Amino acid sequence: MTTSKSAEQGPNPLDVSQVMSRVDAALTAIAMAVSTAELKQVRNDHAGDKSPLALANRAIGKLEPGQRKHAGQLIGQARASVNAALAARQGELNAAELETALQAERVDVTLPIEMHPVGVLHPITALIDDMCDVFIAMGWEVAEGPELESEWLNFDSLNIGPDHPARGLSDTLFIEPASDHKLLRTQTSPVQMRTMLSHEPPVYIVSPGKVYRADEYDATHLPVFHQLEGLVVDKGITMGHLKGTLDHLAHAMFGEVRTRLRPHYFPFTEPSAEMDLECFVCHGESIDNPDLDCRTCKSEGWIEWGGCGVVNPRVLAAAGIDTDVYSGFAFGMGVDRTVMFRNNASDLRDFVEGDIRFPRSLQGGAR
Ligand code: DAH
């Protein structure tokens, strides 16, 4: 296809048939070029400085003056028609190459991507975060304590004497050797004492975490579960502050729900109470109603949520706090239980058995 050889000598600028045959050769080569790279070569051969038509053009200057006009017209037209064909072909090939590139580089954004399921927070973690947020918004701090705890902090300092049933081996997991008096904390309450020993009042803390008891492993019991402890120590703190705080928490967690404080006993609070929530399912209508059997509240109309009370002055005194100046309230809620009745989980074992479908199956969804 290349004509570099014929480029060595140009046609006679006065010889119409010679010039036309160069033009024909050029047009044929142009038509046959199938890429812009080939066309570049063709341009060089047939329209470049050393092409036959360029040489013929240069030869015009050596002609007799009378012949120049005719030769100039002939060569000029010849070169113009070659250049026009080159430009047209260039346009076609550019478009074709662009089209090919677009096809080759095409990305089909409608193709389904491979769906990797995204993990979610464990429902316990998510609820602890939500509960802590309620308190952080009120300016409280989150305090944490160890799960391997001293017997004194878990029991004695909280006014749980050596004869208290919670000390029995049936409940508490002691760590050997017994002479070390170490145990897996049975409650988050020792964080109260740790905080009071290390901070001057005022104290406003919540403390979420794992607790351990030598319990059965069944639908409603786990040997490891979670509590959220709260403690306030300040001047002039009353049971009213406790009630207001827990009502605020209940409403943040459950929306408009009725609550009640039911008298109870805890060694570390006096007076003590259990906080109950009105049953979300039957709203109390199952009480004494033989036709309505409510599984959520066992037809009692109320669901027990957690323990609370005014901090026993003996506990404040054990932490070296002046009980004439300061008083406090405390509470401890079961987190696992809260997920159960808030998100309608029926079996606590699902919380620990690791089936990743579980969090998504909960009412209220997973995060
Ligand atoms: N620690 C108690 C328990 O494990 C819960 C509790 C009750 C915590 C009353 C408190 C409280 O701080 O004031 O059952």
Side-chain angles (χ1 to χ4, degrees):
M1 201 188 306
T2 59
T3 54
S4 44
K5 242 187 167 175
S6 57
E8 283 158 18
Q9 58 185 54
N12 177 351
L14 290 171
D15 186 332
V16 176
S17 74
Q18 253 190 28
V19 171
M20 290 317 292
S21 83
R22 294 302 182 188
V23 171
D24 284 348
L27 297 182
T28 307
I30 290 166
M32 285 169 64
V34 294
S35 68
T36 52
E38 276 184 27
L39 191 67
K40 191 174 172 197
Q41 185 62 50
V42 171
R43 181 191 307 280
N44 197 37
D45 293 344
H46 294 275
D49 282 351
K50 292 180 185 154
S51 64
L53 288 176
L55 294 177
N57 192 45
R58 246 173 269 152
I60 294 172
K62 293 185 193 116
L63 294 175
E64 297 292 315
Q67 298 174 314
R68 284 184 196 161
K69 186 179 174 199
H70 173 64
Q73 278 175 350
L74 179 63
I75 299 297
Q77 280 169 5
R79 296 180 86 196
S81 69
V82 170
N83 284 336
L86 277 169
R89 188 69 183 141
Q90 183 77 45
E92 285 168 17
L93 292 176
N94 281 348
E97 285 178 9
L98 180 64
E99 181 62 21
T100 310
L102 288 177
Q103 288 294 339
E105 290 160 24
R106 187 163 163 237
V107 177
D108 185 350
V109 291
T110 67
L111 276 179
I113 52 162
E114 222 179 311
M115 297 293 278
H116 289 295
V118 178
V120 294
L121 290 180
H122 190 282
I124 300 282
T125 311
L127 183 65
I128 285 178
D129 286 354
D130 286 353
M131 290 174 100
C132 285
D133 282 350
V134 173
F135 291 95
I136 291 168
M138 298 193 292
W140 295 36
E141 283 179 39
V142 176
E144 280 181 318
E147 291 163 23
L148 178 63
E149 187 54 283
S150 81
E151 190 176 357
W152 187 79
L153 286 167
N154 192 80
F155 290 135
D156 303 70
S157 69
L158 295 169
N159 200 31
I160 304 177
D163 300 329
H164 194 280
R167 288 237 186 166
L169 280 171
S170 58
D171 266 339
T172 307
L173 293 158
F174 286 94
I175 303 297
E176 290 187 337
S179 56
D180 278 359
H181 298 284
K182 288 269 195 272
L183 45 75
L184 289 173
R185 66 179 180 188
T186 60
Q187 49 186 355
T188 42
S189 304
V191 184
Q192 292 187 16
M193 187 50 71
R194 286 180 171 274
T195 307
M196 287 190 282
L197 287 171
S198 57
H199 292 77
E200 294 291 317
V203 168
Y204 288 83
I205 56 133
V206 273
S207 178
K210 284 192 175 64
V211 299
Y212 299 79
R213 291 188 196 173
D215 251 342
E216 292 299 316
Y217 176 69
D218 61 30
T220 52
H221 297 89
L222 296 177
V224 185
F225 54 100
H226 301 77
Q227 291 184 336
L228 181 102
E229 189 80 16
L231 172 71
V232 167
V233 181
D234 206 345
K235 291 176 183 160
I237 294 296
T238 69
M239 195 87 180
H241 296 117
L242 167 64
K243 172 100 169 80
T245 305
L246 288 183
D247 277 352
H248 177 63
L249 177 65
H251 294 151
M253 292 292 105
F254 303 101
E256 279 311 308
V257 62
R258 283 176 64 205
T259 64
R260 74 173 181 191
L261 288 181
R262 180 167 41 81
H264 201 77
Y265 170 75
F266 294 103
F268 34 88
T269 43
E270 182 58 39
S272 304
E274 289 271 10
M275 169 84 152
D276 292 342
L277 304 166
E278 189 183 61
C279 178
F280 320 102
V281 178
C282 73
H283 297 283
E285 279 169 28
S286 67
I287 307 172
D288 297 329
N289 183 346
D291 299 330
L292 200 62
D293 181 23
C294 182
R295 284 197 310 165
T296 306
C297 66
K298 300 194 189 71
S299 299
E300 287 170 4
W302 295 90
I303 304 167
E304 185 186 311
W305 194 23
C308 59
V310 172
V311 181
N312 192 321
R314 296 176 71 163
V315 173
L316 295 178
I321 291 173
D322 185 346
T323 54
D324 288 336
V325 180
Y326 291 104
S327 55
F329 69 77
F331 57 87
M333 319 319 258
V335 179
D336 312 61
R337 279 175 53 69
T338 309
V339 176
M340 276 187 106
F341 49 74
R342 183 174 184 252
N343 305 92
N344 211 9
S346 53
D347 193 327
L348 274 181
R349 289 169 294 195
D350 289 336
F351 287 53
V352 290
E353 286 180 356
D355 186 331
I356 56 167
R357 290 168 300 183
F358 166 65
R360 294 181 200 281
S361 73
L362 289 179
Q363 219 173 63
R367 296 210 305 254

